Amino acid sequence: MTDSFFTDGDAYERFMGRWSRAAGEQFLDWLALPAGLNWLDIGCGTGAFTELATERCKPAQISGIDPSEDQIAYARKRPGAAHAKFRSGDAQALPYADSEFEVAAMALVISFIPDPIKAAAEMQRVVRPGGTVAAYMWDFLGKGFTQWPLMDALKGVGVEVAEIAGRLHSTEAALRRIFETAGIRDVATRAIDIEVSYADFDDYWASQTSLPNPTVQAIRKLSAQDVEKLKTNLREQLPRRGGRIAYPARANAVKGMVIRQP
C-alpha cells in the first residue's frame, strides 16, 4: 500500500499536514456524527486526521492503522493523539474483529491502495451494522491536488512526472462506485474545496519539495540550471492574493452506511 516517500513523518507533515487538516475539518462536518463513538482511522500516517477526529468528534475510543512504522512512530508523538491506539497493518486485511467499530474513515489514502474495493469491504466488515464508513481523496484528475501548480510547471519545461497509479479512484463517481461495489449502502459524495496558501516563495518551495514523492523525484533529476529555470517560471505563474501565494485545491469525499445482509 505504501510508497517509500511516505516513511518520513516530518517531511509528510510539512508537505501535507495543514491541508489535510483543512479538508478534514469539512469532511468531519459533513459526516456530522455524534460524540462517544468508536473510530478507526485507516492509513492514519502521521496521525493528523486521528488528532483532528479526536478534537472535533470526541470519540469514546479511536484507533489508527498504517503500514509505515515510521509514520506510526510520528503519530504516537502527537499531543492530540495521546489516547489513540496505533498499530501497523494493511488496509486490505485489517487486523480487527467484525463489527469492532462504529466509524471507519480513510483520509487521503484510497488512491494509494492497490485494491480499493477490497479495502472498502474491509472497512465495512469491521464496522457494526448502522455504522458509518467514509473517505476523502484529492481530486488528481481535476487539478485538485495541492501540488498541481508545481506539476504543471514541470510539464511546462518538458519534464514528465510519474502519475499516481490510483489517480482514477479520486473522482466522486469513482469513489461512489468503489463503495457501492463493496456493498456499502446509502452512499453519498461531495466535493471539498480549500485554499492552499504560503507566506512567500521560499515557504512554498520548502514545503512543496520536502517529501520525495514522484513530482519531487523528477525535480531532483534536473540540473541546477534547470531547477533555477523551473523556480523562475513558478515565481511568475503562481497565483497570489494579498501578497501571499494562494490557489485552490479540491478533495472528493464519500460516505455510506453498513447494512449486513440477513
Side-chain angles (χ1 to χ4, degrees):
M1 169 183 163
T2 299
D3 293 288
S4 59
F5 54 82
F6 283 126
T7 59
D8 188 334
D10 288 305
Y12 182 84
E13 190 66 17
R14 185 173 189 181
F15 171 60
M16 187 57 68
R18 50 187 152 170
W19 316 128
S20 172
R21 184 180 180 93
E25 288 174 348
Q26 293 190 48
F27 175 69
L28 291 173
D29 287 346
W30 180 54
L31 295 185
L33 295 170
L37 301 180
N38 189 4
W39 281 66
L40 174 62
D41 179 9
I42 301 167
C44 63
T46 62
F49 181 78
T50 315
E51 184 174 65
L52 182 63
T54 300
E55 293 172 4
R56 295 176 71 94
C57 301
K58 304 295 187 290
Q61 298 180 61
I62 189 164
S63 299
I65 187 166
D66 195 273
S68 170
E69 292 285 359
D70 291 333
Q71 295 270 49
I72 290 291
Y74 188 102
R76 287 189 174 122
K77 296 176 184 177
R78 299 185 81 102
H83 301 294
K85 298 178 181 178
F86 293 106
R87 66 185 297 180
S88 60
D90 185 352
Q92 300 166 117
L94 294 171
Y96 301 105
D98 295 356
S99 302
E100 188 168 339
F101 301 94
E102 291 163 295
V103 184
M106 285 186 193
L108 306 178
V109 171
I110 202 164
S111 286
F112 300 102
I113 297 173
D115 189 340
I117 295 173
K118 186 174 182 180
E122 276 291 275
M123 293 174 79
Q124 180 174 224
R125 178 185 66 79
V126 301
V127 170
R128 67 191 59 174
T132 299
V133 292
Y136 69 97
M137 190 70 231
W138 298 121
D139 188 344
F140 290 110
L141 298 186
K143 280 194 174 182
F145 186 36
T146 58
Q147 206 167 37
W148 69 260
L150 182 54
M151 296 169 74
D152 279 1
L154 276 166
K155 292 176 183 176
V157 295
V159 176
E160 290 297 322
V161 178
E163 299 280 8
I164 293 171
R167 65 192 183 281
L168 299 178
H169 301 144
S170 66
T171 66
E172 284 188 70
L175 292 171
R176 175 182 289 277
R177 184 169 57 252
I178 289 166
F179 268 40
E180 290 180 342
T181 303
I184 296 164
R185 305 289 292 276
D186 297 336
V187 176
T189 64
R190 65 156 290 184
I192 296 172
D193 293 300
I194 67 166
E195 182 178 83
V196 177
S197 67
Y198 298 91
D200 51 34
F201 185 81
D202 289 341
D203 179 27
Y204 170 84
W205 184 261
S207 298
Q208 288 283 310
T209 59
S210 61
L211 188 77
N213 64 10
T215 302
V216 175
Q217 289 173 25
I219 293 172
R220 292 180 179 180
K221 294 176 183 178
L222 298 177
S223 67
Q225 183 178 357
D226 285 339
V227 170
E228 288 306 312
K229 181 180 178 181
L230 175 66
K231 286 183 174 182
T232 298
N233 290 344
L234 267 171
R235 284 191 178 96
E236 295 173 353
Q237 297 171 11
L238 281 168
R240 295 179 183 272
R241 179 181 299 177
R244 297 178 65 86
I245 293 168
Y247 56 88
R250 169 173 287 187
N252 292 316
V254 61
K255 65 180 177 180
M257 180 182 292
V258 173
I259 300 177
R260 297 272 190 268
Q261 295 296 327

